[in-house]
Amino acid sequence: MTTLSHERYCDEVARQIGLLRTTLTGADLSVTVPTCPDWTLAELVRHTGGAVRWSERLVATRAEKDIPEEDIPELEGPEGDDPAALDAWLARTAELGAHTFRVAGADAPVWSWSGDHRAGFWARRMTHELVIHRADAAIAAGVAYEVEPDVAVDAIDEWLDLVALAQRTDPEDSASELKGAGRSIHLHATDALDDLDAEWLIEFGDEGFTWRRGHAKATVALRGPLTEVLLAFYRRRSLGGGRVEVLGERELLDFWLERASFV
């Protein structure tokens, strides 16, 4: 279930890339990204833009299976790390991705690695791919990071859905270990408006976990401003950095964070 419209996701693909471009202004593209230490900032940008290029081709061609990298125009961007050339590539990527997703509509049939084989899956997935990797870029560049509250809420929803998908479909994935009846995690955004319902309860069972929105007492709670809860839950911020509060059995939250890895 999504909380934003398909049109909004299309808008956000373009908007998030625009914000990423602003984040990169004047940044040293050769620095290592602290939250993705295998990449430089330039490599992070190429990965993120390439993900949009890949998903755009899937949707544009109504792909029935994955497509080879050589069939994706400008997948890795321009040669070299010239900031102007990289910025221009990102601008073209934003326009192309948002246009293709919008023209296709949410229900166009398209291959995906998830159980949702519609274009709408890709518009949503790329929105949050960009939201989180823009945070990575901001951390690497040492600049402020903000995200619209309703987008942040949907990013947490999607993350929980993706971890649940991994648990259901891949017994080798570390998410399969997220079980054990009688334990629970509560996420609470302390600064969000009431109509956003920015609280989540994750409940462990014998076979796995379930989640729902709402307030409830849990084994452990992660509390703080919505953006900081999002970043901590995605392992972009340390739990001990003073930006969020952990109440209860922190070991359970650590157990979750160590096993729920994707983006």
Side-chain angles (χ1 to χ4, degrees):
M1 178 180 177
T2 63
T3 57
L4 306 179
S5 69
H6 181 68
E7 283 297 314
R8 177 66 182 282
Y9 291 127
C10 296
D11 290 342
E12 285 298 327
V13 167
R15 182 171 181 273
Q16 294 299 325
I17 293 180
L19 292 170
L20 175 60
R21 293 171 63 200
T22 299
T23 295
L24 296 172
T25 302
D28 180 358
L29 297 176
S30 69
V31 299
T32 298
V33 180
T35 47
C36 301
D38 290 338
W39 290 338
T40 65
L41 185 51
E43 289 168 338
L44 171 76
V45 171
R46 292 178 186 279
H47 164 82
T48 306
V52 176
R53 291 271 174 171
W54 170 58
S55 59
E56 185 277 334
R57 279 293 88 193
L58 291 170
V59 173
T61 61
R62 305 295 191 270
E64 296 181 355
K65 60 181 181 180
D66 198 2
I67 55 180
E69 292 186 358
E70 56 268 24
D71 291 345
I72 306 171
E74 293 192 273
L75 174 65
E76 297 181 351
E79 293 186 6
D81 287 335
D82 175 56
L86 208 55
D87 179 71
W89 174 69
L90 283 174
R92 294 192 301 273
T93 300
E95 182 177 1
L96 181 65
H99 174 76
T100 296
F101 296 152
R102 184 173 286 110
V103 169
D107 295 325
V110 181
W111 173 88
S112 82
W113 42 259
S114 79
D116 186 351
H117 299 289
R118 300 176 303 140
F121 167 82
W122 289 113
R124 187 189 195 199
R125 178 81 285 282
M126 287 303 104
T127 291
H128 300 313
E129 176 89 357
L130 289 160
V131 163
I132 298 304
H133 284 322
R134 180 168 66 82
D136 293 324
I139 291 167
V143 300
Y145 173 81
E146 295 180 356
V147 60
E148 288 294 315
D150 57 345
V151 175
V153 166
D154 191 64
I156 292 175
D157 282 356
E158 192 219 24
W159 181 236
L160 289 166
D161 284 342
L162 291 178
V163 177
L165 173 69
Q167 185 174 80
R168 290 194 310 270
T169 61
D170 186 359
E172 300 300 318
D173 194 283
S174 58
S176 65
E177 300 175 38
L178 296 171
K179 55 188 175 182
R183 302 184 296 170
S184 56
I185 298 172
H186 178 221
L187 309 180
H188 184 186
T190 55
D191 63 341
L193 297 175
D194 289 343
D195 61 356
L196 280 177
D197 191 22
E199 296 189 62
W200 296 260
L201 181 67
I202 304 164
E203 296 178 290
F204 294 77
D206 290 332
E207 301 301 321
F209 74 91
T210 59
W211 72 272
R212 59 181 171 85
R213 294 273 199 94
H215 180 82
K217 185 174 179 60
T219 308
V220 61
L222 173 64
R223 292 168 42 91
L226 177 55
T227 297
E228 296 304 327
V229 170
L230 171 69
L231 295 179
F233 202 51
Y234 263 90
R235 299 175 64 182
R236 265 50 187 192
R237 294 272 203 229
S238 166
L239 296 179
R243 297 172 185 261
V244 293
E245 182 180 17
V246 179
L247 304 174
E249 297 181 17
R250 175 172 167 167
E251 295 81 3
L252 178 59
L253 185 56
D254 288 334
F255 177 79
W256 170 280
L257 296 175
E258 290 167 1
R259 288 157 179 80
S261 58
F262 178 72
V263 175

